[in-house]
Amino acid sequence: MLTAIAALVYTSRSTTEQLRLTEQGQITDRYSRATDQLGSEKIDVRLGAIYSLERLMRDSAADVPTIVEVLCAFVREHAPRKATPPSTTTTTPRPSRTAKSPVRPPPDVQAVLTVLNRRPDGGSARIDLHQTELAGADLSRARLAGADLTGANLAFVLLHEASLENALLREADLHDASLTHARLHSADLSEANLVDATLTSADLTRAHLDQVDLTYARLGDATLNGADLPQANLTRASLGAAKLMGANLFAAKLNDAYLGAANLSAANLAEADLTGADATTPEQLAQARTNSRTKLPNG
């Protein structure tokens, strides 16, 4: 009797192991086929491969990090940032206020961005899209916390309510981007181009914004408490009701900026230029830290 039971247990375990090995083999085959198809010259084949990899992520949690790496590499390979000619001007001209982006990413690149945002790991796999050409992409509510977007072209991108905490965006081009309600806590946007960008109600707490260009940017009700903005260009930026408590605006340009109801408590305005700044009050400026080289709105 005991021998028969032992035989049944052994058979059951063997069957379970065989099923596991068969399933793993099927997953490996699906992965190999999909990655091969990513290199196809036909757009419909590439799209099929992208969505096959998405299904595979849902079927095999252990393969999610690898698939995310493959999809990111696909974007970096198929959409590298285009070289831009060096500027011949010393000031940033105001761009036209185009309602929509004049360009969009190719369908397969946008499909990868959509799939990455739907990854089933809760957003833990790191996204690496540095130096990519993503102008006009729809990344609304994207989960990009900690993502590497260094030097990426994100002009006209939709990033409404996106999670970009601790993201790397150094030297990224975000002109005309929409970042309403985006979460950028501790993100690195040093030397980024945010000309004419919309950051209404965005959270930029403790963000790194060294030498960032925010000319004409809309930052109404944005939170910049503790943000680092040395030598930032905020010329004609709209900062109505913005929270700048403890922000470092050393040598920043705030020429003709709108500062109505902005909270400047303990903000560092040493050597900052506020010439022509609008809607400032003596009470606001008294709360900030200035020095003899600070240029105040009324001289």
Side-chain angles (χ1 to χ4, degrees), residues 119-134:
R119 62 195 187 281
D121 65 341
S124 61
R126 189 166 184 266
I127 304 299
D128 183 357
L129 297 171
H130 72 278
Q131 294 293 338
T132 49
E133 187 72 28
L134 303 176

Side-chain angles (χ1 to χ4, degrees), residues 104-225:
R104 291 283 187 275
D108 50 353
V109 172
Q110 180 62 64
V112 169
L113 299 176
T114 301
V115 166
L116 287 173
N117 195 38
R118 294 196 300 232
R119 62 195 187 281
D121 65 341
S124 61
R126 189 166 184 266
I127 304 299
D128 183 357
L129 297 171
H130 72 278
Q131 294 293 338
T132 49
E133 187 72 28
L134 303 176
D138 187 350
L139 291 165
S140 300
R141 299 183 178 85
R143 296 178 296 165
L144 293 166
D148 187 352
L149 291 156
T150 304
N153 184 1
L154 297 161
F156 294 97
V157 164
L158 298 178
L159 282 160
H160 305 297
E161 300 181 16
S163 297
L164 287 153
E165 297 92 338
N166 297 296
L168 302 177
L169 289 148
R170 290 184 67 92
E171 300 181 1
D173 187 350
L174 286 144
H175 79 75
D176 287 276
S178 181
L179 294 120
T180 305
H181 292 284
R183 297 180 292 282
L184 291 142
H185 192 295
S186 300
D188 188 351
L189 291 132
S190 301
E191 301 180 60
N193 177 6
L194 283 151
V195 173
D196 224 35
T198 300
L199 292 127
T200 308
S201 299
D203 182 2
L204 290 141
T205 302
R206 299 189 183 282
H208 303 282
L209 296 148
D210 312 46
Q211 301 181 61
V212 69
D213 193 346
L214 284 156
T215 305
Y216 296 106
R218 292 167 287 283
L219 290 144
D221 203 36
T223 301
L224 293 119
N225 296 331

Side-chain angles (χ1 to χ4, degrees), residues 70-82:
V70 168
L71 292 174
C72 287
F74 176 87
V75 175
R76 295 196 302 271
E77 178 68 24
H78 286 75
R81 183 169 179 176
K82 299 171 184 175

